[in-house]
C-alpha cells in the first residue's frame, strides 16, 4: 500500500447486461467515483465482479486498500430469505451478489475500509445477515418511475450524531439524490442504521466497529451536491491511513 495514493477497488455487478441501456445509466456513476477517487488521492481500480474469474476477483481484493460497492439491480431475494414475487421485481444477478457479499464479509473481517452506494448498502446489509424491504409503499418519494427512471429524486437526510457518516457529511444534508425502491428492514449483525429521510426511510448504514459505511442515495450522480462524494472518499482514505 502507498499512503500517498492507496488503491480503491470500485465494484460493479456486471458490464454484460442484456439491458445495455441500464448499463449505460450506471457507467457514468462508476466513472465519476473513479475520477473523484483520483482527486481524493486514491488510485482507482474497477472490477465487474460478475464477469471476472474467481482468480481475478481474488487478485483484485488482494490489491485493494479500500473498496466501493456500487449500485445496480435488486439484490437476489433468496440471499436474505425472500422470494422474487414482489412489486417491480426485475433481473437478479446471483453470482455477482454472492461474490459481492463474500467480498464485503472479508473486508469487515480484515478491517478494509468500505463504502457502499445504493445497492452497495443493501448488499452490505444482506452480507451481514440482514433483510430488505422489497418494495417501499411510498417508493414514489424515493425514485421516479419510467420514463423518468434516469432521474434522481432530491430529498433531505438527517444523520445520527457521532456516526461515521456524520463525521464525514455532518448531521443534516438538505438534498441527496435517490433512485431506489428497497431499503434496510432488519439490520445485519454488527450494523446500525445511521441516517434517515424525513419520512423515516433508512438512508445510511454502518458497521459498529469496522471502517465500513454506506449510503442509500447517489452522491456520485452528476446532479448531486458536489461536496458529498469527495467527503465520503476522503473519509475512506482517512480510514485507510488510520489502519496503516
Amino acid at each position: 500500500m502507498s499512503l500517498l495514493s492507496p488503491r480503491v477497488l470500485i465494484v460493479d455487478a456486471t458490464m454484460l447486461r442484456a439491458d445495455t441501456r441500464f448499463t449505460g445509466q450506471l457507467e457514468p456513476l462508476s466513472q465519476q467515483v473513479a475520477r473523484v477517487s483520483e482527486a481524493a488521492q486514491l488510485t482507482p481500480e474497477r472490477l465487474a465482479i460478475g464477469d471476472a474469474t474467481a482468480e481475478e476477483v481474488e487478485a483484485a481484493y488482494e490489491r485493494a486498500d479500500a473498496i466501493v460497492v456500487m449500485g445496480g439491480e435488486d439484490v437476489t431475494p433468496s440471499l436474505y430469505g425472500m422470494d422474487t414475487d414482489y412489486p417491480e421485481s426485475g433481473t437478479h444477478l446471483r453470482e455477482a451478489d454472492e461474490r459481492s457479499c463474500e467480498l464485503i464479509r472479508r473486508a469487515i473481517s480484515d478491517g478494509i475500509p468500505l463504502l457502499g452506494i445504493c445497492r452497495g448498502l443493501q448488499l452490505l446489509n444482506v452480507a451481514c445477515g440482514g433483510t430488505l424491504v422489497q418494495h417501499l409503499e411510498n417508493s414514489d418519494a424515493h425514485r421516479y418511475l419510467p420514463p423518468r427512471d434516469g432521474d434522481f429524486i432530491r430529498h433531505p437526510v438527517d444523520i445520527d450524531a457521532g456516526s461515521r457518516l456524520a463525521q464525514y457529511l455532518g448531521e443534516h444534508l438538505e438534498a441527496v439524490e435517490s433512485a431506489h425502491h428497497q431499503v434496510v428492514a432488519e439490520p445485519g449483525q454488527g450494523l446500525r442504521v445511521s441516517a434517515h429521510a424525513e419520512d423515516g426511510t433508512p438512508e445510511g448504514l454502518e458497521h459498529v466497529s469496522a471502517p465500513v459505511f454506506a449510503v442509500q442515495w447517489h452522491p456520485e450522480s452528476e446532479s448531486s451536491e458536489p461536496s458529498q462524494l469527495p467527503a465520503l472518499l476522503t473519509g475512506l482514505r482517512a480510514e485507510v491511513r488510520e489502519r496503516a
Side-chain angles (χ1 to χ4, degrees):
M1 175 181 69
S2 167
L3 288 178
L4 293 177
S5 189
R7 186 179 296 272
V8 58
L9 183 65
I10 301 167
V11 180
D12 295 289
T14 181
M15 295 296 290
L16 302 176
R17 295 177 181 86
D19 184 356
T20 56
R21 179 173 175 270
F22 189 42
T23 298
Q25 291 174 328
L26 295 174
E27 178 61 11
L29 304 179
S30 296
Q31 290 176 354
Q32 176 72 345
V33 171
R35 282 192 296 268
V36 178
S37 293
E38 291 178 335
Q41 297 182 296
L42 292 161
T43 299
E45 176 182 352
R46 293 188 56 189
L47 173 69
I49 198 166
D51 306 339
T53 66
E55 292 76 16
E56 288 168 338
V57 174
E58 176 65 22
Y61 178 82
E62 291 296 330
R63 289 191 294 268
D65 301 308
I67 297 170
V68 179
V69 182
M70 299 296 298
E73 289 82 354
D74 292 351
V75 178
T76 303
S78 61
L79 298 183
Y80 56 96
M82 302 289 282
D83 60 39
T84 59
D85 184 20
Y86 62 89
E88 299 183 33
S89 176
T91 301
H92 302 108
L93 305 174
R94 186 180 184 93
E95 183 172 29
D97 291 344
E98 289 176 339
R99 288 178 168 185
S100 296
C101 286
E102 177 59 25
L103 194 80
I104 290 166
R105 286 189 288 265
R106 287 185 66 184
I108 292 171
S109 177
D110 294 341
I112 294 178
L114 183 144
L115 166 65
I117 297 176
C118 195
R119 164 190 168 88
L121 178 149
Q122 295 162 9
L123 282 164
L124 167 61
N125 198 47
V126 170
C128 293
T131 58
L132 302 177
V133 175
Q134 291 191 293
H135 184 72
L136 286 168
E137 291 184 4
N138 65 334
S139 60
D140 57 353
H142 292 272
R143 58 94 174 90
Y144 285 120
L145 290 171
R148 297 190 63 191
D149 59 354
D151 296 331
F152 295 89
I153 284 183
R154 295 172 69 85
H155 62 81
V157 162
D158 291 311
I159 301 174
D160 292 352
S163 65
R164 276 192 169 84
L165 288 179
Q167 179 181 346
Y168 302 135
L169 296 170
E171 295 178 19
H172 179 76
L173 296 175
E174 191 58 37
V176 301
E177 305 263 320
S178 284
H180 62 92
H181 76 123
Q182 298 190 325
V183 295
V184 170
E186 182 68 26
Q189 184 176 1
L191 300 177
R192 68 183 183 106
V193 173
S194 57
H196 294 83
E198 286 185 323
D199 60 11
T201 300
E203 291 282 343
L205 187 69
E206 56 192 67
H207 199 275
V208 297
S209 57
V212 172
F213 49 99
V215 295
Q216 187 60 73
W217 68 90
H218 285 273
E220 82 285 23
S221 76
E222 186 178 37
S223 55
S224 177
E225 202 285 320
S227 67
Q228 291 176 16
L229 182 60
L232 289 166
L233 292 172
T234 298
L236 199 67
R237 183 172 182 269
E239 298 283 6
V240 172
R241 297 189 68 173
E242 181 70 21
R243 178 174 177 259

